[in-house]
Amino acid sequence: MKLKQSALIGLAVAAALGTAAVQAADQYVGLPSYRVGPYAAGGSGIFGGMIDYFQLVNARDGGINGVKLIWEECETEYNNARGVECWERMKKGGPTGNTVFHPLSTGITYSVIEKAPADKIPVISLGYGRTDASDGRIFPYIFPLLTNYWSQNTAKIKFIGAKEGGMDKLKGKKIVNIYHDSAYGKETIPVLDAQAKMYGFTVKHIPVAHPGNEQQSQWLQVRQDKPDWVILRGWGVMNPTALKAAAKIGFPRDKIVGVWWSGAEEDTIPAGSAAKGYISAGFNVAGTNYPVIKDIEKHVVAKNKSNMEDKSRIGSVYYNRGVVHGIITVEAIRKAQEKYGKGKSITGEQMRWGIENLNIDAALLKKLGAEGFMPPLKMSCANHEGSGLVKFQQWDGDKWKVLTDWIESDQKLVRGMVEESAAKYAKEKNITPRDCSKEG
Amino acid sequence: MLYREAGQFKATYAEDQRIFPIRQDRIAIALILVFFFVLVPAFANQYWLQAILVPVLIFSLAAIGLNILTGYAGQLSLGSAAFMAVGAFAAYNFMLRVPGMPILVAFVLGGLCAAGVGILFGLPSLRIKGFYLAVATLAAQFFVVWALTKFPWFSNNSSSGVISAQQVKILGYAFVSPESKYLLTLAVVTVLALAAKNLVRSSIGRSWMAIRDMDVAAEVIGFRPMRTKLSAFAISSFYCGVAGALYAYTYLGTVEPEGFNLDMSFKILFMIIIGGVGSILGSFLGAAFIVLLPIFLNISMHVLGDAVPKGLASNLELIVFGGLIIFFLIVEPHGLARLWQIGKEKLRLWPFPH
């Protein structure tokens, strides 16, 4: 009787503490979000989508095998120093510490690359970050998942080649690469140069200083050079500015191909009619017409639990990308639970195994209601990229329309460059690469 | 009562020339040093060391640098972050390209490179003053960041322009743990802060203040403006350079030129304005204020939980932060250091104010 009573009191106390109380079977994810500053549109959309997916898993499935997801936000303002502060603040959160870190900033990813193996917390940089970290032998804790920048770039050249009527037609063509002058923007320069040599086109790199709301001189250069294609490697406010500047000099928008950080509604709507016809890459698509989004609308949004302040953004590119982040996080936790005990909270180290052995195939995508929503993904010890597939979409003045199916990137070229670059890093840092044949 | 200096006589020149002439100050400084050198590393956790104390110390050092230039020599500068970048990238390149380079020497060389760049961009100060000079130093800010991005040699041909700092090793001891990194930072900052405290009351410091208060009069009584102004630029940039090297080596580990942007320069300027222009103590107080307050606000917003939408909460933080800056500037335009000075004077009379 007494035992029962104290158990009841314990339960009541736990209930009173509510979500703030951390129970044994919770899985903590620390979210370094940013909701202010020039990149707030990306931050609020993606973290909003991710949190909504977590809410969905908790509400619809009761968590992952009964383990509820809990999370905490930490404002980084897209600033590396604040990101590191968030890493330190959140790494001991929850029952088993931070499970996984989504920096959502290439700069912050770089800042935590050495902290990740030391603190044993995996870093997922989904579609951004340090490209050569795709070599999992040298970067065991870093996961530039789905498609890294270099792969994306080869797919983009493939797309341009297809538009020109074959890769051999690229010879003699002129491509201008307008990039955000930061670690993120510069990341694709070596692969573009390598491909220019391979296919015989010329490429010119024009930097735009952060945050990129002044681009007249850059587009003046474009007007003088008269390139056949422009690659836009922008982020945040730089994108609509670029589209408006392109319209001003009369450069055809359907000859501008953007990276996925230049391909959201937030990039095109502010540019108004100047954005019509603009093409961008993407590893997720926009729209609410997918079962997973419908489920979120039913279980989360309808119950007024959505994290989004502006409900009309549900189904936008950024929001859906956040859902992709959520799916991958949840499935990796599920995978890790399979090995380390179902219904238990897993540690960062176990999560690393979970991500490394993640296999989201077509059947699983269908089960998750995300068929065609994101590319299939298969990870391994050596390959921390997992997919390398890209879709292209075009802005029709109103919404993003998918142009292509999943286009495969040139893994032969990219993988070689990744391994070379990673080996250079390993040498600089005295890292002995893991032997992947011994990993279980 | 507690802070009475009556009965403390200065009987020798050495006693007269002490950095801290009042006994209570000396005891307080000793206690503070013991606290930060012994008690903090023994009890603080990694979060406090790595994410709070190290950045505060590093920015304090940068703020001391700017304070020497702006507070003592009266030359307004908006290029502090650029000089930090020079220090960080120079230290990195010395470590990379000179085999067996001791890290402390690399820090000093990094600082010296920053001093050289500082002198170069200080040259216009001989002709232009005040806000116009601020614009000239703005050029330093943009030029340095541009040059570090433009020439891949500086970042050892890294494709993204990011450098990742080598391991810090002194006499075979590797500074890996947060405690050791903190202690290294603290030691460097303590030595340089004491040096600065000494410097500003030496003949060179007095010449800076003479130039600051009225440069024509200073010139008439025999101070050479060129030497004085350029020495202020050099020493100020040296401090910023060492701070930049520490920023790369003991704090972040990897830095990119874009990280040292104008925002950071403004932040350092705000530190000395809030902390106290022309005060070494003020540099520490200002750095603590500007670095810690946003973090404190972010954590305290969590108390509100889900009652406030997250986007609104993030914006509220900025609003409160800005509001507090304005509040402090209205209440005490001379900065936090002045508050301490007022407190000190009150303490001297306490408990018998007349």
Side-chain angles (χ1 to χ4, degrees):
Chain A
M1 184 63 197
K2 204 154 191 200
L3 193 78
K4 206 173 164 190
Q5 219 166 20
S6 54
L8 273 176
I9 292 169
L11 265 179
V13 169
L17 289 175
T19 48
V22 170
Q23 292 135 14
D26 276 344
Q27 191 68 49
Y28 171 87
V29 183
L31 302 174
S33 61
Y34 46 93
R35 293 168 183 278
V36 291
Y39 310 116
S44 58
I46 293 178
F47 283 103
M50 195 172 353
I51 290 170
D52 279 5
Y53 188 76
F54 290 168
Q55 297 266 29
L56 171 71
V57 171
N58 281 350
R60 184 190 59 187
D61 315 337
I64 307 160
N65 297 321
V67 180
K68 289 248 183 195
L69 286 159
I70 52 170
W71 55 90
E72 177 189 13
E73 283 191 59
C74 176
E75 173 72 43
T76 68
E77 297 178 9
Y78 202 73
N79 174 324
N80 298 355
R82 290 287 297 272
V84 168
E85 192 267 328
C86 288
W87 171 280
E88 296 288 344
R89 194 198 301 175
M90 299 191 298
K91 76 179 176 194
K92 293 251 159 64
T96 49
N98 196 359
T99 319
V100 61
F101 195 73
H102 292 278
L104 210 65
S105 143
T106 296
I108 298 176
T109 311
Y110 271 96
S111 300
V112 298
I113 276 179
E114 280 173 50
K115 290 186 179 290
D119 294 332
K120 298 203 180 336
I121 298 168
V123 173
I124 295 184
S125 57
L126 205 114
Y128 56 90
R130 184 174 178 129
T131 302
D132 58 9
S134 309
D135 190 342
R137 295 169 307 165
I138 288 155
F139 296 91
Y141 276 88
I142 313 294
F143 295 88
L145 280 184
L146 283 179
T147 306
N148 63 37
Y149 285 144
W150 291 356
S151 299
Q152 175 264 153
N153 205 74
T154 58
K156 207 182 270 170
I157 296 298
K158 236 183 208 177
F159 171 78
I160 292 176
K163 281 263 169 185
E164 291 285 350
M167 295 311 272
D168 51 321
K169 296 274 181 4
L170 281 174
K171 203 171 177 72
K173 291 274 186 278
K174 220 189 238 176
I175 295 178
V176 163
N177 173 32
I178 294 201
Y179 66 96
H180 189 264
D181 202 359
S182 63
Y184 148 73
K186 293 176 75 171
E187 193 87 35
T188 54
I189 292 177
V191 76
L192 260 175
D193 286 339
Q195 285 200 298
K197 227 177 265 164
M198 225 162 113
Y199 296 114
F201 60 85
T202 55
V203 62
K204 185 172 178 183
H205 309 286
I206 303 180
V208 173
H210 160 95
N213 46 6
E214 190 55 62
Q215 292 177 33
Q216 275 184 344
S217 66
Q218 283 89 351
W219 286 91
L220 207 65
Q221 255 173 291
V222 171
R223 192 164 76 173
Q224 283 161 357
D225 289 345
K226 294 197 189 72
D228 299 284
W229 290 86
V230 167
I231 290 178
L232 180 62
R233 205 172 156 69
W235 176 219
V237 66
M238 171 179 166
N239 297 321
T241 315
L243 292 174
K244 276 191 250 174
K248 216 181 255 172
I249 65 157
F251 189 84
R253 262 43 52 72
D254 57 356
K255 297 279 183 198
I256 305 178
V257 187
V259 66
W260 41 65
W261 300 114
S262 307
E265 291 80 359
E266 286 79 359
D267 301 316
T268 46
I269 290 173
S273 61
K276 202 172 168 190
Y278 164 62
I279 299 167
S280 93
F283 56 78
N284 67 293
V285 293
T288 52
N289 216 358
Y290 295 90
V292 58
I293 303 290
K294 291 264 175 266
D295 267 8
I296 290 178
E297 282 179 335
K298 194 170 112 199
H299 292 279
V300 182
V301 182
K303 295 195 177 129
N304 226 354
K305 279 207 245 160
S306 171
N307 185 271
M308 299 302 288
E309 282 159 54
D310 178 2
K311 304 283 182 286
S312 69
R313 288 179 68 196
I314 291 167
S316 72
V317 170
Y318 282 148
Y319 182 87
N320 286 6
R321 189 161 304 158
V323 174
V324 172
H325 278 75
I327 291 176
I328 287 174
T329 308
V330 168
E331 291 314 307
I333 294 171
R334 203 187 302 279
K335 185 82 199 175
Q337 280 192 8
E338 274 173 28
K339 182 174 160 105
Y340 296 100
K342 278 188 185 170
K344 280 195 199 143
S345 322
I346 56 159
T347 64
E349 202 176 356
Q350 294 164 344
M351 179 67 171
R352 193 194 70 77
W353 186 90
I355 306 172
E356 205 153 78
N357 291 281
L358 192 60
N359 182 9
I360 302 183
D361 53 12
L364 183 55
L365 276 180
K366 198 173 167 109
K367 204 177 123 205
L368 294 170
E371 222 179 354
F373 183 72
M374 61 180 273
L377 174 75
K378 188 175 183 340
M379 307 292 297
S380 74
C381 160
N383 181 358
H384 275 195
E385 182 182 7
S387 150
L389 299 175
V390 184
K391 269 189 188 186
F392 285 87
Q393 50 179 5
Q394 188 167 29
W395 182 252
D396 68 357
D398 189 33
K399 60 180 186 303
W400 285 103
K401 239 175 41 201
V402 178
L403 282 183
T404 64
D405 200 8
W406 297 112
I407 291 188
E408 271 195 51
S409 51
D410 187 349
Q411 283 303 317
K412 224 172 71 196
L413 171 76
V414 171
R415 188 66 200 176
M417 289 177 68
V418 160
E419 284 184 7
E420 190 188 325
S421 172
K424 193 177 143 205
Y425 177 84
K427 208 175 135 223
E428 215 175 278
K429 291 275 163 188
N430 268 332
I431 300 173
T432 330
R434 287 189 297 164
D435 185 356
C436 276
S437 57
K438 286 190 189 137
E439 296 278 325
Chain B
M1 194 79 161
L2 287 171
Y3 213 89
R4 201 163 43 187
E5 15 177 337
Q8 295 184 27
F9 299 112
K10 292 158 188 162
T12 60
Y13 284 119
E15 277 174 7
D16 194 35
Q17 288 175 351
R18 280 177 170 164
I19 303 184
F20 301 104
I22 305 170
R23 193 195 302 130
Q24 284 88 338
D25 276 351
R26 285 198 296 277
I27 295 170
I29 290 287
L31 286 179
I32 289 171
L33 287 181
V34 168
F35 177 74
F36 280 103
F37 269 104
V38 182
L39 293 181
V40 166
F43 293 108
N45 61 16
Q46 200 177 342
Y47 170 66
W48 271 92
L49 292 174
Q50 220 21 56
I52 305 278
L53 291 169
V54 168
V56 169
L57 285 170
I58 291 171
F59 278 109
S60 302
L61 191 62
I64 291 175
L66 183 62
N67 230 332
I68 287 175
L69 186 63
T70 307
Y72 289 98
Q75 312 296 311
L76 197 54
S77 160
L78 286 176
S80 322
F83 301 132
M84 282 179 78
V86 173
F89 278 79
Y92 168 78
N93 276 301
F94 279 118
M95 289 297 285
L96 180 78
R97 292 172 209 279
V98 184
M101 168 68 78
I103 185 83
L104 288 176
V105 179
F107 285 175
V108 172
L109 288 172
L112 289 177
C113 287
V117 176
I119 289 177
L120 200 67
F121 282 96
L123 285 174
S125 70
L126 304 175
R127 280 276 176 273
I128 48 181
K129 284 177 201 149
F131 289 114
Y132 303 100
L133 180 64
V135 176
T137 54
L138 200 59
Q141 172 64 49
F142 286 110
F143 175 79
V144 167
V145 171
W146 172 82
L148 291 176
T149 335
K150 171 81 184 168
F151 303 107
W153 185 84
F154 288 120
S155 52
N156 194 22
N157 299 315
S158 142
S159 62
S160 51
V162 177
I163 58 167
S164 92
Q166 297 89 346
Q167 203 182 40
V168 180
K169 238 182 193 172
I170 296 175
L171 299 175
Y173 178 76
F175 287 76
V176 183
S177 70
E179 288 85 4
S180 64
K181 281 185 176 171
Y182 162 74
L183 282 174
L184 176 68
T185 317
L186 182 64
V188 173
V189 173
T190 310
V191 169
L192 285 176
L194 285 175
K197 182 92 187 150
N198 236 333
L199 204 62
V200 293
R201 49 189 209 117
S202 68
S203 71
I204 190 169
R206 286 165 208 267
S207 68
W208 290 339
M209 286 184 262
I211 286 282
R212 171 193 68 189
D213 292 341
M214 195 174 182
D215 54 353
V216 177
E219 204 176 345
V220 167
I221 59 173
F223 291 114
R224 281 189 270 177
M226 181 171 93
R227 192 196 268 179
T228 314
K229 282 182 179 173
L230 290 188
S231 69
F233 263 100
I235 291 170
S236 152
S237 308
F238 177 83
Y239 274 79
C240 288
V242 174
L246 287 174
Y247 190 75
Y249 279 85
T250 64
Y251 181 38
L252 282 187
T254 58
V255 288
E256 52 172 327
E258 189 49 52
F260 297 98
N261 55 12
L262 185 60
D263 285 358
M264 200 166 167
S265 286
F266 275 127
K267 237 188 207 169
I268 299 170
L269 185 64
F270 296 155
M271 282 171 196
I272 70 166
I273 293 175
I274 291 277
V277 175
S279 156
I280 301 293
L281 173 70
S283 311
F284 284 93
L285 298 178
F289 186 91
I290 299 279
V291 174
L292 299 189
L293 195 62
I295 297 173
F296 172 74
L297 286 173
N298 187 239
I299 292 175
S300 53
M301 281 294 170
H302 281 268
V303 178
L304 298 174
D306 293 333
V308 182
K310 282 288 178 312
L312 181 63
S314 290
N315 282 304
L316 264 181
E317 280 167 47
L318 288 183
I319 295 168
V320 174
F321 183 53
L324 278 175
I325 289 180
I326 295 172
F327 171 78
F328 271 100
L329 287 182
I330 291 174
V331 173
E332 188 45 75
H334 297 288
L336 299 173
R338 176 80 189 146
L339 282 181
W340 164 239
Q341 222 172 5
I342 294 171
K344 204 159 128 179
E345 265 153 34
K346 290 242 161 83
L347 275 176
R348 276 181 183 161
L349 302 176
W350 184 84
F352 304 115
H354 10 242

